[in-house]
Amino acid sequence: MHSRPTDNQDWPPEKIAAARTIQRLMEFWQIKPSELASRRAPEAAPPAVPAPARPRYRHPVSGETWDGQGSQPPWLRQALLKEGYLVEELRVADDEPAADAAPRADAANAAGPAAEASSLG
């Protein structure tokens, strides 16, 4: 025979009340403890994948982006050191569309300072 929830004097009152409620529900629905023991616990949901960080820098010609986390990508180093861009020119404005949006038309047609310098020649 199963012990009653009130038999265990070590339990706090809240736990005793919860056990009584469970026992009443089991009696009402005619659920046996053995039926509960055979049930598997529901599997936990997989952890949520964090959303990719919003890009902070974008190359105006190639459209490549960097979120500012980790090492600087090669395209950024090249744009700054060899193509003559300034950090401010590559920084993405707060109101600019996210990385998955299409690049702006004016950015796609821009040749950049390096092209201007090479044409001066």
Side-chain angles (χ1 to χ4, degrees):
M1 176 108 193
H2 296 286
S3 64
R4 299 301 245 182
T6 56
D7 293 346
N8 195 334
Q9 300 299 322
D10 297 335
W11 286 3
E14 298 85 4
K15 189 171 184 178
I16 292 171
R20 283 182 186 152
T21 302
I22 292 168
Q23 188 171 18
R24 286 186 200 124
L25 287 169
M26 288 177 64
E27 289 170 0
F28 176 81
W29 291 104
Q30 300 175 355
I31 299 172
K32 297 178 182 97
S34 60
E35 293 176 307
L36 296 176
S38 65
R39 300 253 181 212
R40 287 183 27 180
E43 293 185 25
V49 177
R54 185 174 174 88
R56 293 179 58 198
Y57 302 93
R58 177 176 286 118
H59 194 286
V61 177
S62 70
E64 291 178 284
T65 61
W66 180 50
D67 60 10
Q69 299 176 4
S71 301
Q72 289 181 350
W75 71 262
L76 181 63
R77 287 194 297 272
Q78 181 172 341
L80 294 172
L81 300 174
K82 296 181 180 177
E83 296 174 16
Y85 285 101
L86 301 175
V87 173
E88 293 77 26
E89 294 173 307
L90 302 175
R91 188 170 287 129
V92 174
D94 289 337
D95 59 344
E96 193 168 327
D100 55 356
R104 295 187 335 227
D106 61 333
N109 296 329
E116 293 174 23
S118 64
S119 67
L120 296 176

